[in-house]
Amino acid sequence: MHHDGIDPAPAPPATGWRRLLARDFEEVAAGPWAAGPDRRGVEEAESAYVSGFNAALSRDSGTLPALLDGLPRERWTFACEGAGAASAVLDLLTLSRGRRLRDLLSGPAARHHHAVHLGAGRGYALLRLPPMRGACRGHPLLRWLAVDGYGFQRGLEAGVRMLHERAMPGLLTRARCATSDQGLGRLLWHHERASAEPVADRVAGFPAGRRGDLWAGVAYAATRTGGATGEELALLAERAGADGYRSCLAQGCAFASMAVVREGALLGSAVLAAPILAGTEPEEAASWADRALLALGHDARTHDDYLAWQAETRRAWSHRHQALAC
């Protein structure tokens, strides 16, 4: 079925048992983000995710590159996220020790490492497995983004428990649940159709100890997926500041900006969001995350290192904010 304004995912190219894994575009159309024309961005992102997922199921290595060539540039990252999810699922089911994920990262998604790692976490969630074992085959620090992706997918599948009852995802330690909450924050942006006030109200309903990570996830999605006006983004910044988590909002925006800059094409959503959420242009916000990553050194790989990366990025925003205030 075709839905106005949204391109349906192509027919699954997979054969045999892989066809059983294919995702259906109708899942997107029935998702919580289905909205009017002014909120199409979040639905288009999930549509591209499904397309990338199905393409990665194919045994033809040219299927995903061909798909990317046929998609608008702003949807590539979401297609690569879907490909990351499918690659992780196939690696797990065939015991291939992360081979497909590595091939994806070195091949068609070479400039989309953030998206692939987020997708890998979604793949683990689809199989109800903890999201780190196979993801260890990816980037030593970006692999922790798989926990973020896991939180997004688990929230999507268990929406009432995690969004309304505010349950924590299973299979994770308490520390990793914090990173999972970033994915849940991204889902809040999608779930509330990129509408700032309902998103902020949702975040406010969670315990204070979880809200910083939720705000970071919200900012990541607002910067990458877009869908909000400048006025709504300003409301996000105001609400996060009043909540005491303004630096977390800026950090999420900086991480998203880093991903966008590495992909080589600035998205309109990042150009709009970064000056409001991070107080600067996407390139400078990205540089905070880049410098914080470099400062950790070549051996950074633990979850504590990942948390330190976030903390140093928040400090970079705080220093700039304080300097401007003087």
Side-chain angles (χ1 to χ4, degrees):
M1 181 184 299
H2 179 75
H3 297 257
D4 292 343
I6 304 297
D7 298 325
T15 58
W17 63 269
R18 295 182 182 216
R19 185 176 291 274
L20 300 175
L21 300 174
R23 314 299 289 181
D24 190 338
F25 176 75
E26 293 303 318
E27 299 173 27
V28 180
W33 39 71
D38 58 331
R39 303 297 182 191
R40 287 297 188 184
V42 293
E43 193 173 349
E44 289 172 353
E46 279 299 299
S47 178
Y49 166 87
V50 169
S51 296
F53 188 101
N54 290 341
L57 296 178
S58 173
R59 295 180 185 274
D60 181 355
S61 61
T63 303
L64 180 60
L67 170 68
L68 295 178
D69 285 344
L71 285 175
R73 186 67 179 267
E74 63 269 17
R75 297 196 205 174
W76 284 13
T77 188
F78 304 107
C80 288
E81 184 178 337
S87 296
V89 167
L90 290 173
D91 280 338
L92 288 164
L93 293 179
T94 61
L95 305 178
S96 57
R97 300 178 62 83
R99 175 180 60 81
R100 291 178 183 83
L101 202 61
R102 289 195 302 273
D103 289 347
L104 179 63
L105 288 166
S106 62
R111 303 193 73 168
H112 298 269
H113 281 211
H114 288 70
V116 170
H117 285 85
L118 289 170
R122 294 186 67 171
Y124 273 70
L126 289 171
L127 296 180
R128 302 292 193 274
L129 293 173
M132 288 313 300
R133 187 174 178 182
C136 292
R137 306 293 177 180
H139 186 283
L141 205 58
L142 288 183
R143 65 194 179 106
W144 292 104
L145 289 172
V147 182
D148 180 318
Y150 178 87
F152 182 100
Q153 187 67 35
R154 290 295 293 126
L156 179 58
E157 296 177 355
V160 171
R161 290 186 60 251
M162 295 181 70
L163 295 181
H164 298 278
E165 299 174 12
R166 300 169 187 89
M168 301 289 280
L171 305 178
L172 296 179
T173 64
R174 182 172 295 276
R176 293 181 186 180
C177 280
T179 302
S180 173
D181 271 344
Q182 295 167 47
L184 189 59
R186 290 192 299 117
L187 178 62
L188 287 174
W189 186 253
H190 288 225
H191 189 278
E192 298 302 332
R193 307 167 185 176
S195 187
E197 189 163 7
V199 168
D201 289 342
R202 285 277 191 188
V203 174
F206 281 80
R210 298 180 63 183
R211 295 204 291 268
D213 294 294
L214 292 168
W215 276 119
V218 166
Y220 194 103
T223 305
R224 289 306 312 272
T225 309
T229 64
E231 290 77 9
E232 288 178 305
L233 293 170
L235 175 60
L236 279 183
E238 178 184 342
R239 292 287 297 271
D243 206 15
Y245 296 105
R246 184 66 182 81
S247 65
C248 294
L249 194 78
Q251 176 256 304
C253 178
F255 271 40
S257 296
M258 179 188 186
V260 168
V261 169
R262 288 189 173 190
E263 288 161 11
L266 283 183
L267 303 180
S269 57
V271 172
L272 175 64
I276 301 171
L277 303 184
T280 189
E281 298 305 314
E283 295 89 346
E284 183 178 354
S287 74
W288 301 339
D290 272 324
R291 288 197 300 269
L293 182 58
L294 288 172
L296 290 171
H298 296 297
D299 294 328
R301 60 181 59 247
T302 69
H303 191 243
D304 284 343
D305 290 329
Y306 181 80
L307 297 178
W309 181 23
Q310 293 178 302
E312 186 57 37
T313 303
R314 290 194 294 271
R315 277 192 287 273
W317 174 83
S318 296
H319 292 159
R320 186 183 190 280
H321 183 68
Q322 289 167 2
L324 291 175
C326 291

